[in-house]
Amino acid sequence: MEITLDSRRYAEFETEALVSYVFEETDPVQGRIAELNQATGGLLQKLVKSGELTGKMLEMTLIHAPTGVRAQRLLLVGAGKRDTFTSATLRKIAGAALRYLKARSVKKVAFLAREGDATDESAQVITEGAILANFESDKYKTEKKNGKDVETVLLAGFEVAGRTALERGRMIADSQNFTRELVNEPSNRLTPRVLAERAQAMAREAGLACEILDERKIAELKMGALLSVAQGSVEPPRVIVLTYAPAETRTGAPIIGLVGKAVTFDTGGLSIKSAEGMEKMKYDMAGGATMLGVMRALATLKPAVKVIAVVPSTENMPGGRAQKPGDVQVSMAGKTIEVLNTDAEGRLILADGIEYAKRLGCTHLIDAATLTGAIVVALANVNVGVFGSDQAFTDKLLARAKACGEKMWQMPIDEEYREFIKGGIADIQNISSGKGGGAITAAMFLKEFSGDTPWIHLDIAGTAWLDEQKPWAAKGASGVAVRTLIDLVTKL
Ligand code: BES
Ligand code: ZN
Ligand code: ZN
C-alpha cells in the first residue's frame, strides 16, 4: 500500500473516495467540514438536518458522486464527542474507513485531516490505522481478500512536512503486522525451529544480531525448566536471541531485556486441555512474536539504548517422554520447581528466559506472554494485565500504552501472594495452592526469577487474539503491545 502526503485539501483530488470525520456536537458542520459542505452545495448540512449525519463514533455516511469535489465518493466517519477525541480515535477512524471502503472494492483513498489535526502525530497514526486495517488473516485462503487491498492512501491537508512521522508510522504498523502474521500461523507450519528461522531471516533483513540456541546449547546452559516442557514433544526447542545495539552508549545506560513466551502449541501436556477451543492455542507464541515485531522496528528507529530480545520457544505436548505432574525440575537459575500442573508451562520457559536475559547483562526486563486464563476472567479481551516490580518503570510503560491507544491495566503483586506458590517439596511450585488470583500468582512465579532487576510482566492472554473482527481490524492475531513497547524503548 502506497501512502503519501499532500498539502492540498479536497477539491483537486481525483480519488475514488475522500474521507474525513465529523464530531458529535450541536453543529457538526464546522471548519474543513464546512468547506466541504459549501463545495457540495449544502449537502452535509441537509444530512445533519435529516439525522443521517450525527458524528456518533464510527458512524459511516457514504455519499456517491458528490458535486463540487472531484472525488467519486465522500465518506464521513463519526468521531464522537470532540473532548474525548485523541490520536487513538484518529487511528481507529482511519482504520475503520479503510476497511469500510475496502469491502466496497475501493482502491484509492484520500484522507483529509481536520483543521488543527494536520500534525506529525496525526500523519503517524493515520498511517498506522490504514496499514493495520489493510491486514487480513487470509494467508491460507486460495481466494484472497488481499486482492481487494486498498492500493493508495493520500494524507490530505498536510501543510507541514510530516514525512518522518509517516515513515515511523509505517515501520511500526508493518512490524505489528509482522507479529500478527506469525501469531496467525498454525502450529504445523510454525514449530520452534521454523519460528527461529523466521526470526533469523527478519534479523538479517533488518540488520540485527541474531543467535539461535538449539537443544544442545540449551542443555549445556542447563535450562532445565524450558527443557522439561520441551521433552514431551518430538520437535526440539529453540531460544531466539536478537540484539540491537546503538552506535554509541553512555556508561551506565540501561540494557533492556524483552522476554517473550513462544509456545508454538499448548496442549497442556499431560495436564491436558479440553478439546473445546484447543485450536486457539497456536497463539501461545504471541508474547515471543510481540518481541520479534518490536525488535524489527527498533532496528530502523534506532533508539539510544541497547535492547536484547530472548524468546524461548517450544511445543507443550503429552508425548511418551513428557514431564508428569509432581516432577521436580532444576531451572537455569538453580531454583528447583515442583511442576504440579504441566499446563502452567509458560512460566517455566519464561523462568529460564528471564535468567538468560539477566546473564546477558539486561538491567531492565519486560516479558510478554499469553500466560493465564485467569487474566481473561479478570480483564476480558479489553485490557492487557500489567505487573511490575518497579513503579517508576511501570508508570512509564502505562503512560506509553495510553499514548499508543493500547489499553493496559496494572494488577497487584503484594507479598501475600508469594505464599500461594511456596511450597511442597521444591523451592517453588508452578501453580498456586490457594484459591483465586491465578494471573497474579503466575506473575509472582516470574518475579522469583527477575529478582531485584526492575521487571514488567504483560499478560496478553485476553488481548493477543480477536475472536471477532473490529471495524478497524481483521479477526485473529491483534499484535497487541507491539506499539507500546516500541514507543517505550524509543523514548527511554
Ligand atoms: N497458554 C495458557 C494460557 C491461556 C489459557 C490462554 C486459556 C488463554 C486461555 C497457559 O499456558 C495455561 O494453560 N495456563 C493455565 C495455568 C493453570 C494451569 C494454573 C490456565 O490459565 O488455565
Ligand atoms: Zn498451558
Ligand atoms: Zn501456554
Side-chain angles (χ1 to χ4, degrees), residues 261 266 268 273 284 316 342-345:
K261 170 181 174 182
D266 182 10
K273 290 182 182 294
D284 212 18
N316 187 22
T342 64
D343 197 11
E345 85 298 340

Side-chain angles (χ1 to χ4, degrees), residues 261 266 273 281 283-284 341 343 345 370-373 431:
K261 170 181 174 182
D266 182 10
K273 290 182 182 294
M281 284 301 140
Y283 96 133
D284 212 18
N341 188 314
D343 197 11
E345 85 298 340
T370 47
L371 203 63
T372 65
I431 59 165

Side-chain angles (χ1 to χ4, degrees), residues 463-475:
T463 45
W465 192 265
L466 294 171
D467 288 324
E468 294 302 333
Q469 68 164 334
K470 299 271 188 195
W472 56 87
K475 71 174 174 184

Side-chain angles (χ1 to χ4, degrees), residues 154-293:
L154 192 141
L155 308 190
F158 280 80
E159 291 90 356
V160 279
R163 190 77 237 161
T164 325
L166 191 157
E167 289 310 330
R168 183 182 166 90
R170 189 201 302 276
M171 177 48 64
I172 292 170
D174 281 344
S175 297
Q176 188 172 336
N177 284 347
F178 173 82
T179 294
R180 293 166 84 189
E181 196 82 60
L182 287 175
V183 176
N184 277 341
E185 287 285 10
S187 72
N188 65 327
R189 297 187 168 264
L190 194 93
T191 60
R193 283 183 293 178
V194 177
L195 181 65
E197 279 165 18
R198 299 270 282 259
Q200 205 156 29
M202 179 276 283
R204 208 173 300 129
E205 215 169 289
L208 292 165
C210 174
E211 195 191 353
I212 305 295
L213 314 183
D214 63 11
E215 64 273 31
R216 277 180 45 197
K217 187 79 211 240
I218 291 168
E220 222 175 277
L221 287 166
K222 298 196 163 66
M223 294 186 168
L226 169 59
L227 283 171
S228 78
V229 178
Q231 75 187 47
S233 171
V234 292
E235 285 292 336
R238 291 290 181 266
V239 177
I240 301 159
V241 184
L242 298 179
T243 306
Y244 161 80
E248 276 173 59
T249 38
R250 292 174 283 119
T251 42
I255 300 176
I256 313 296
L258 302 177
V259 184
K261 170 181 174 182
V263 173
T264 57
F265 197 82
D266 182 10
T267 66
L270 283 173
S271 313
I272 199 160
K273 290 182 182 294
S274 61
E276 166 121 19
M278 201 203 267
E279 71 282 355
K280 187 173 161 184
M281 284 301 140
K282 66 176 186 177
Y283 96 133
D284 212 18
M285 33 60 72
T290 300
M291 298 321 191
L292 299 181

